[in-house]
Amino acid sequence: MTRSLLVLSGGHPYEAGPFDELLHSLGEWDITHLIHPEGGAADAAEAITAADALLFYDMAGYSFGAGTVTTRPPPPALRDAITARFAAGKGAVAMHHAIAGWAEWPQWHEWLGGQFHYQPGAHGLDSGYRHDVSYQARVVADHPVVRGLPERFPVTDELYLCPIDENAFTPLVRAEGFAFTATNFYSAALAVAGAMFSNEGWNHPPGSNCIAWESRKCPAPLVYLQCGDGPATYANPHVRQMLRQALDYISGGPT
């Protein structure tokens, strides 16, 4: 019997064709792909409840323009559907920029174990990004999501420097060969203001090099994979294997 996979995207640009190829490399899934906000909160809420597996590749809750960013909370129907899904023990995978989504929904980030911030605030400084970083991904757990992967494998992808609570999750993969310090990243707030690829005057504290984990805070299986910025990562066979196994794991399917 074919399992159902709901993919939520939107709020952040990506290359649709290569991403679609990635999705169709993951096995026998009946895929529904909804894009924020075009999918509509009511349609998304119904699909969230019904799907065997759920993949968040969205960065919802933001509006960018004229050098500024504004945020909004999730529609109640969407928030309640995700909350009910997790309460029922049905899991999800969150990928890459999903760690920035729904900035005004603290529970989402408590479940996830981290948050990328576009602006400074009570949490501290805005977060950092760096595209096209070549690093070694090192598997650090015996877990179904990473089982069968090489202990180390090469990845070229965007990395984030943002608050991550390692007490909130079980680490699965770490990025080695690249220091998670401010000098190696660019400021998200400066980018929003029009100064792309700048870290002038930005002194973010060092961060975690964990790039894949399973939440310990969510009542259902919730796996976060930081991999996923673009076509080079979509095509990486080890990333594909990790995503495929993560979806199997959170849905109770083959591992």
Side-chain angles (χ1 to χ4, degrees):
M1 181 176 177
T2 303
R3 295 167 293 165
S4 59
L5 169 61
L6 173 63
V7 181
L8 296 177
S9 68
H12 190 289
Y14 64 93
E15 295 194 36
F19 183 67
D20 189 62
E21 291 177 12
L22 167 66
L23 296 179
H24 286 88
S25 76
L26 299 175
E28 295 297 322
W29 292 98
D30 180 8
I31 299 173
T32 298
H33 188 174
L34 297 179
I35 302 173
H36 292 294
E38 291 85 347
D43 290 344
E46 183 177 349
I48 286 166
T49 300
D52 293 317
L54 176 57
L55 174 61
F56 292 97
Y57 191 60
D58 56 343
M59 198 184 78
Y62 290 95
S63 295
F64 296 91
T68 63
V69 56
T70 58
T71 60
R72 60 188 179 276
L78 192 72
R79 180 199 62 211
D80 293 348
I82 294 170
T83 301
R85 178 184 178 88
F86 289 160
K90 297 180 72 175
V93 175
M95 192 174 174
H96 197 54
H97 44 251
I99 199 170
W102 299 127
E104 294 188 31
W105 188 15
Q107 181 68 75
W108 169 242
H109 295 283
E110 290 173 13
W111 285 329
L112 203 54
Q115 182 171 358
F116 185 98
H117 298 280
Y118 271 90
Q119 294 292 309
H123 52 266
L125 290 174
D126 56 295
S127 297
Y129 66 96
R130 180 71 178 262
H131 296 105
D132 300 324
V133 179
S134 294
Y135 62 88
Q136 287 289 313
R138 180 171 65 90
V139 175
V140 295
D142 180 9
H143 191 283
V145 170
V146 292
R147 201 158 291 158
L149 287 169
E151 182 181 354
R152 286 178 172 80
F153 55 91
V155 178
T156 298
D157 198 14
E158 181 183 20
L159 291 174
Y160 296 144
L161 181 64
C162 62
I164 291 173
D165 180 10
E166 292 211 11
N167 293 319
F169 58 72
T170 299
L172 303 178
V173 180
R174 295 186 181 276
E176 297 189 335
F178 188 80
F180 282 69
T181 56
T183 55
N184 281 337
F185 288 83
Y186 303 122
S187 158
L190 289 175
V192 168
M196 290 290 293
F197 313 123
S198 173
N199 56 19
E200 185 177 356
W202 180 75
N203 296 302
H204 196 286
S208 169
N209 69 346
C210 192
I211 58 163
W213 61 77
E214 181 183 7
S215 171
R216 294 177 182 166
K217 300 291 187 179
C218 187
L222 176 59
V223 172
Y224 174 71
L225 308 177
Q226 192 175 119
C227 301
D229 181 53
T233 316
Y234 303 157
N236 186 310
H238 303 304
V239 173
R240 288 188 172 193
Q241 180 180 345
M242 186 164 54
L243 177 57
R244 182 174 63 251
Q245 292 178 171
L247 290 169
D248 286 338
Y249 174 71
I250 61 96
S251 65
T255 57

